[in-house]
């Protein structure tokens, strides 16, 4: 809607239509009849104070595209029952597991939407909504049944239970809902076969309709459903059980049932699943179905042949899968009038045809064009299919073959083919029957496990050389690309995966025709165990910007010369024998540290043999992001102890023998983020930290030998994050930390218990503070005045060593928390007995409260101080857990309004279903 139209609509509606935007605090007028609001992840009591003055509300509509949203229970229990004039109610997307029995107060409802919720059952009072017209239960996967008195909803027009797969049967008497126009599913339970007769009364059904549980029906009852009279149904799904071994299933009965379920001639889409008869009904391919566009036959295990589908002249999409008894597909598929068969078919898919041996496309008459409009052909998991594909497919653009190991795949007569994916076939052929002027080059190629690759070099250049994407995977016998005439030249994106015999990409690298535009931009090689080197001429490729190498144990180094000139990103993972990136000879003038190298991002992960990145100088003068993780033998980054001069982000994780990052930062002044985790031997940081005027974040975690920043002075200009955690011997915070006016996040967790609070205090602009195992800091911080942190939003405090603390905030000393706080987590206070209500009452923005490992804590603050909470997390607090037990605990009334409450990682609100 244009902004001007939206503004006009709002002016015309006035107070009658009101919308609650975001978390803005506002009140609706008493004249408001139709309300909507923007949904947050957590919708709390305070949000719905806007409805306090509304007396005659007609519409309650949350607006959201997302799922897994949390709603205060106050809406269901208190708010909605007061609005007895409601016509429209939606709670779609909320994590609601149960509904109170309140619908007797909402008898004017016309529209009710519980889609994408977790409700397990619907209350009986819902069946008193005699005016209800629309009931949406789409994707309510936990819902086990519909109410038994659904027949009372006599005005129901639309019932949607798509995706509510736990419902086992329709309730008795649903045939009385004669006003139903849209019914997504009709489920027949065991012993309920006669209930299908109810469908004959539902003569107004339209749109999509799914009829399941047909194994429980006999032919006589199926005929009474009168599907042929329901001309509004345009898509029909007929579904039997997947279990073909039931004694009650009889082929003859299921054939009778299918015959009796003849739909209207206006049907556009038909799906038949798990049908157990030995033959299909003749009506399926009746040419009188002049509107039929799509037909799907799935898992019909006993059918030995296919109906004459070719007679459906407007059919565009045909999918056949799981027909285990079909051995041959031939003339019967086309029907009598072969000259006009499948005239409109655009997509043909066969799948999981385990015993299909022969496909006779009936191409004897060259004047008759079969499949003249076919654009997409897919054959997957047909392991015994022999012979060739149809040879005359003039319109085919996309071909997909998967696990058809005896099939000969010829693409010779597919002039418009642009997308080819073949995994597992006997032979791939392109015999060159079409001239170059009549053939389109492939744009996307994916090849895997082809026994015989029978395409000439000339045809390869014509068909394959200029593809956008070129993927090879799972080709167990492939030793090199060139052994099959393939090349890496000409493609934009190349991925080679799971080729265990691949030794090199090109057997004769001098054959690479670099004059044919080596347009490679992206190269990924994964799980190629024997690959021991990359092509020597890779550095001559002018456009390649990204290389990924994963699980290639044969690689000791990436190459013997410099990187490609345009390479910007290199990622290496799980190459267990990689020792260095480039084998830099002493007299190699083309080393990768050349000023012409454009490499900006380097990531190396899980390469345990890596000794160093470069034996001489930096990797590249332009390197900006360096990420090294899980390299157990890496003792230093560079032998000359210098970092790339343009480096901005440095991440090191789990390099246990790393002793030195660099000698100093004097030439690397652009660093913005420095993150080091699990570096057990690291004792100090390089000199020159104070020169890093662009530094924004320092994170040091699990560095047990790191004692302090020594003489280094941290830069104060732009530093926003300082985290020091699990550094057990780290004993001193940076000097003059109070001058770090840009610092917003400070974490000091599990360091030396002797670490003390700085004399000058903390910088007052902090928005996030986390401290633990620091009793001296905690005590001094409280005395200094935590309320001085006037911008603080997140506070995490561990109480190790604070045995004297019995309340939080400490009431006895008048401890005051900063008013802007939104998140508080406290833990490991061994003697904490209560949380002070007075200390929290001014925290009107508090949203998240976490309490961990406080064994003596037995009570929560008063409910009024918790009204703004969106989540409460309690873990390993046995006394408090007992008090918060559902419905009967002494603390329950204080927390029942909170949208999300978790105790020991289990949801209590909303109730977690078994």
């Amino acid at each position: 809607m244009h902004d001007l139209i939206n503004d006009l609509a709002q002016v015309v509606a006035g107070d009658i239509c009101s919308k609650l935007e975001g978390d803005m605090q506002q009140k609706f007028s008493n004249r408001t009849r139709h309300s909507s609001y923007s949904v947050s992840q957590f919708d709390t009591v305070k949000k719905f104070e806007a409805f306090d003055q509304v007396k005659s509300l007609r519409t309650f509509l949350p607006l959201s595209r997302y799922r897994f949203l949390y709603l205060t229970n106050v809406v269901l229990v208190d708010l909605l029952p007061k609005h007895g004039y409601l016509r429209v109610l939606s709670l779609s997307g909320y994590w609601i597991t149960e509904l109170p029995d309140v619908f007797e107060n909402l008898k004017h409802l016309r529209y009710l939407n519980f889609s994408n919720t977790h409700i397990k059952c619907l209350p009986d009072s819902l069946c008193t909504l005699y005016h209800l017209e629309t009931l949406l239960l789409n994707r309510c996967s936990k819902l086990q049944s519909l109410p038994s008195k659904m027949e009372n909803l006599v005005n129901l027009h639309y019932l949607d239970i798509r995706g509510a797969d736990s419902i086992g049967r329709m309730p008795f008497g649903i045939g009385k809902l004669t006003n139903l126009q849209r019914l997504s599913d009709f489920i027949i339970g065991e012993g309920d076969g006669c209930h299908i007769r109810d469908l004959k009364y539902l003569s107004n059904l339209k749109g999509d309709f799914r009829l399941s549980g047909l194994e429980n029906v006999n032919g006589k009852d199926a005929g009474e459903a009168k599907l042929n009279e329901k001309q509004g149904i345009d898509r029909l799904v007929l579904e039997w059980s997947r279990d073909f071994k039931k004694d009650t299933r009889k082929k003859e009965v299921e054939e009778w049932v299918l015959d009796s379920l003849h739909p209207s001639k206006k049907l556009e889409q038909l799906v038949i699943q798990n049908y157990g008869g030995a033959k299909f009904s003749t009506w399926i391919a009746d040419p009188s179905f002049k509107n039929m566009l799509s037909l799907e036959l799935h898992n019909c295990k006993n059918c030995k042949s296919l109906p004459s589908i070719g007679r459906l002249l407007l059919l565009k999409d045909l999918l056949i899968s799981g027909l285990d008894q079909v051995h041959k597909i031939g003339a019967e598929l086309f029907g009598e009038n072969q000259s006009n068969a499948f005239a409109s078919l655009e997509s043909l898919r066969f799948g999981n045809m385990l015993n299909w041996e022969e496909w006779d496309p009936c191409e004897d008459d060259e004047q008759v064009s079969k499949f003249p409009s076919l654009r997409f052909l897919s054959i997957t998991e047909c392991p015994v299919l022999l012979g060739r594909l149809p040879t005359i497919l003039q319109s085919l653009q996309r071909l997909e073959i998967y696990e058809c190991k005896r099939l000969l795949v010829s693409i010779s007569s597919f002039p418009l083919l642009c997308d080819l994916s073949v995994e597992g076939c006997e032979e791939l052929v392109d015999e060159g029957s079409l001239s170059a002027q009549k053939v389109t080059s492939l744009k996307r190629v994916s090849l895997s496990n082809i026994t015989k690759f029978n395409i000439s070099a000339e045809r390869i250049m014509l068909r394959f050389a200029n593809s956008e994407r070129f993927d090879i995977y799972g080709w167990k016998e492939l030793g090199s690309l060139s052994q099959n005439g393939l090349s890496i030249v000409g493609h934009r994106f190349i991925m080679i995966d799971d080729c265990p015999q691949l030794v090199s990409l090109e057997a004769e690298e001098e054959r690479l025709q670099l004059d044919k535009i080596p347009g490679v931009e992206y190269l990924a090689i994964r799980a190629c165990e024997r690959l021991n080197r990359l092509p020597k001429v890779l550095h001559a490729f002018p456009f390649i910007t990204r290389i990924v190498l994963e699980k290639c144990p044969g690689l000791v180094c990436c190459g013997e010369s410099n990187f490609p000139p345009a390479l910007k990103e290199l990622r290496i993972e799980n190459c267990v024998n990689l020792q260095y990136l480039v084998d830099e000879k002493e007299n190699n003038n083309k080393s990768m540290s050349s000023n012409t190298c454009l490499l900006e991002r380097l990531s190396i992960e899980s390469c345990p043999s890596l000794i160093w990145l470069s034996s001489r100088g930096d990797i590249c003068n332009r390197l900006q992001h360096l990420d090294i993780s899980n390299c157990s033998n890496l003792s230093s980054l560079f032998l000359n102890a210098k970092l790339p001069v343009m480096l901005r982000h440095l991440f090191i994780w789990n390099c246990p023998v790393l002793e030195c990052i660099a000698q100093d930062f004097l030439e690397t002044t652009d660093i913005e983020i420095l993150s080091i985790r699990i570096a057990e031997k690291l004792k100090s940081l390089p000199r020159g930290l104070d020169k890093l005027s662009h530094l924004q974040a320092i994170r040091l975690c699990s560095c047990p030998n790191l004692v302090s920043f020594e003489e280094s002075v941290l830069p104060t200009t732009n530093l926003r994050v300082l985290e020091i955690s699990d550094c057990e011997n780290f004993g001193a915070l940076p000097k003059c930390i109070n001058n770090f006016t840009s610092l917003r996040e400070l974490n000091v967790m599990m360091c030396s218990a002797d670490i003390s609070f700085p004399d000058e205090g903390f910088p007052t602009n902090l928005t996030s503070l986390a401290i633990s195992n620091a009793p001296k800091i905690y005590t001094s911080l409280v005395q200094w005045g935590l309320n001085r942190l006037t911008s603080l939003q997140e506070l995490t405090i561990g109480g190790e060593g604070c045995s004297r603390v019995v309340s939080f905030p400490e009431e006895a000393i008048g401890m005051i928390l900063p008013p802007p706080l939104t998140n508080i987590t406290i833990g490991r206070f061994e003697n904490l007995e209560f949380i002070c209500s007075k200390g929290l009452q001014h925290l009107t923005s508090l949203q998240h409260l976490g309490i961990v490992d406080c064994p003596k804590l037995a009570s929560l603050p008063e409910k009024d101080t918790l009204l703004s909470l969106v989540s409460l997390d309690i873990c390993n607090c046995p006394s408090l857990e007992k008090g918060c037990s559902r419905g009967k605990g002494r603390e329950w009334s204080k927390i029942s309004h909170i949208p999300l409450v978790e105790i020991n990682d289990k949801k209590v609100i909303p109730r977690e279903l078994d």
Side-chain angles (χ1 to χ4, degrees), residues 230-243:
K230 296 171 178 38
Q231 299 188 23
I233 295 177
D234 50 41
R235 183 175 187 271
L236 175 64
V237 179
L238 301 177
E239 184 175 329
W240 284 256
S241 168
R242 288 177 175 272
D243 185 2

Side-chain angles (χ1 to χ4, degrees), residues 102 154 209 293 315 340 440 448 460 551 554 766 806 811:
V102 296
V154 292
F209 180 62
L293 300 175
L315 191 69
N340 205 25
T440 301
S448 172
I460 287 175
K551 296 182 180 178
L766 286 178
V806 295
E811 189 175 23

Side-chain angles (χ1 to χ4, degrees), residues 729-825:
N729 290 309
F730 194 90
L733 289 171
K735 296 177 181 178
C736 303
I737 193 173
N738 64 309
N739 292 331
F740 293 18
T741 54
S742 297
L743 195 65
R744 296 295 180 266
E745 181 180 334
L746 176 61
N747 294 347
V748 184
M749 309 285 286
M750 303 308 295
C751 294
S752 170
D754 291 330
I755 193 170
S756 59
F757 187 71
D759 294 337
E760 303 85 359
F762 282 153
T764 56
N765 290 330
L766 286 178
T767 59
S768 176
L769 174 63
I771 58 172
S772 72
N773 194 45
K776 291 182 179 180
I777 290 183
Y778 173 79
T779 301
S780 300
L781 179 62
V782 171
Q783 293 173 351
W784 175 73
L786 192 59
N787 58 306
R788 291 191 188 186
L789 303 177
T790 54
S791 300
L792 197 66
Q793 298 176 20
E794 299 182 13
L795 176 63
T796 300
I797 294 183
E800 299 90 345
C802 300
S803 58
R804 62 169 185 78
V805 177
V806 295
S807 70
F808 184 89
E810 294 190 57
E811 189 175 23
I813 61 173
M815 179 181 177
I816 301 176
L817 298 177
L821 277 173
T822 60
N823 293 32
I824 296 178
T825 301

Side-chain angles (χ1 to χ4, degrees), residues 66 81 113 115 299 418 464 560 608 649 736 824 866:
Y66 307 103
N113 187 356
S115 296
N299 206 32
C418 56
F464 294 82
E560 298 177 2
H649 296 176
C736 303
I824 296 178
L866 304 177

